[in-house]
Amino acid sequence: MALIYHVVNGDGRPPIVFVHGFACAHTDWDAQVAHLSPRHRTVAVDLRGHGASPGTAAECSIERYGADVAEVMRALALPPAVLVGHSLGCRVVIEAALQAPAHTAGVILVDGSQFAPAMADLLRAQFARPDGFATHVNGLFKDMFTATSDHAVAASVVERAGRLPRAIGEKMMLDLQRYDVGRLTASLASLRVPVMALQATYANEKRERLTMREGQTTPYLDMLRASVPSARIEIIADTGHFPQLDASAQTNVLIDRFVATLQAD
């Protein structure tokens, strides 16, 4: 199959590859591309069934997405790159790093999470309702922003999410849960490159999304530390699930610092 849609800007090493989240697109990284492309080659992708990349539900999975990103990296003959993933994209960049180790210098996980085993039944029950998927996605995305978010940007992201084909959306939500329960921890432990997590939110026991505070930990971050003891954890406090949009300057600084540590080695 043809490569997934991707946009290349700038030049310089290490290259930086950006992977968006569920029901999102490569444009979520515009602020990071603008900041980094004067010094680095940047590659921002649209995953199958998202943005400008075609795809069917049968073709979509975390592993397939990871293979697609790895294929882009090989086709561009990238030297070892920093892979930056947001939300669902955290899983994708982990898989891409494992499938293309020669093209990977480091991994950045932006507001990742880990679905619990019980989520499978909850999602299937929600999706069984005629408007279940639309209701789930609308509520999910509205909860990703805060009172300090740009209202026009937030509305645009929520509206875009609502346009994701239902078949792809349901497949990928369930696939996220499958991957998190069956593969995420082992895949993280298999990484052999530096890892940084930029964490902005977490879900409490009621599955409500809350903002993080400095020094806070979560079960997801504890799992990450156990799987990758050398992982660098950075908290982006008092912002929503999209720190690359809501706190772009701070996100850019943290990416810069991580890349600098790789260049110093």
Side-chain angles (χ1 to χ4, degrees):
M1 292 188 64
L3 294 176
I4 56 173
Y5 182 78
H6 56 282
V7 178
V8 180
N9 284 282
D11 199 16
R13 297 189 179 198
I16 303 178
V17 178
F18 293 101
V19 180
H20 62 77
F22 173 81
C24 295
H26 75 276
T27 51
D28 286 351
W29 302 107
D30 282 355
Q32 287 67 51
V33 168
H35 174 74
L36 291 160
S37 58
R39 303 178 307 283
H40 299 273
R41 191 178 195 188
T42 64
V43 183
V45 307
D46 280 341
L47 298 172
R48 289 179 191 244
H50 294 72
S53 290
T56 65
E59 297 169 334
C60 296
S61 71
I62 298 298
E63 290 86 351
R64 180 65 257 177
Y65 283 172
D68 286 339
V69 174
E71 192 174 340
V72 168
M73 293 160 65
R74 286 191 288 265
L76 295 175
L78 292 184
V82 177
L83 311 186
V84 186
H86 172 238
S87 195
L88 174 148
C90 292
R91 290 84 164 175
V92 176
V93 296
I94 292 166
E95 285 300 309
L98 295 176
Q99 296 190 43
H103 296 276
T104 305
V107 169
I108 299 177
L109 309 174
V110 179
D111 218 40
S113 62
Q114 184 178 31
F115 279 20
M119 279 299 295
D121 288 341
L122 292 171
L123 287 169
R124 289 191 179 96
Q126 179 81 28
F127 296 159
R129 302 168 187 161
D131 62 346
F133 176 71
T135 300
H136 177 76
V137 169
N138 188 63
L140 182 73
F141 272 78
K142 285 184 175 179
D143 203 29
M144 292 177 180
F145 295 93
T146 71
T148 62
S149 300
D150 183 299
H151 296 306
V153 171
S156 176
V157 170
V158 173
E159 188 275 333
R160 179 183 64 190
R163 289 188 270 113
L164 183 72
R166 177 173 182 168
I168 291 174
E170 291 186 356
K171 167 71 180 297
M172 288 314 301
M173 288 298 295
L174 290 168
D175 202 69
L176 264 172
Q177 190 276 339
R178 171 200 62 82
Y179 183 88
D180 283 5
V181 171
R183 189 170 170 89
L184 177 58
T185 302
S187 293
L188 277 167
S190 297
L191 291 174
R192 295 295 178 264
V193 294
V195 174
M196 177 171 73
L198 305 183
Q199 201 66 26
T201 70
Y202 71 103
N204 65 10
E205 296 81 2
K206 299 178 182 179
R207 298 190 297 280
E208 299 167 326
R209 187 177 295 276
L210 302 176
T211 60
M212 297 283 291
R213 64 180 185 275
E214 292 291 344
Q216 185 178 5
T217 192
T218 68
Y220 167 74
L221 291 179
D222 292 340
M223 179 278 295
L224 177 60
R225 290 187 182 97
S227 301
V228 187
S230 62
R232 174 177 172 178
I233 311 294
E234 297 283 356
I235 303 300
I236 301 179
D238 302 319
T239 193
H241 181 55
F242 287 80
Q244 70 271 46
L245 300 177
D246 283 351
S248 58
Q250 187 176 356
T251 301
N252 292 344
V253 166
L254 291 170
I255 293 174
D256 279 338
R257 289 177 182 170
F258 181 74
V259 171
T261 65
L262 302 180
Q263 294 172 316
D265 290 341

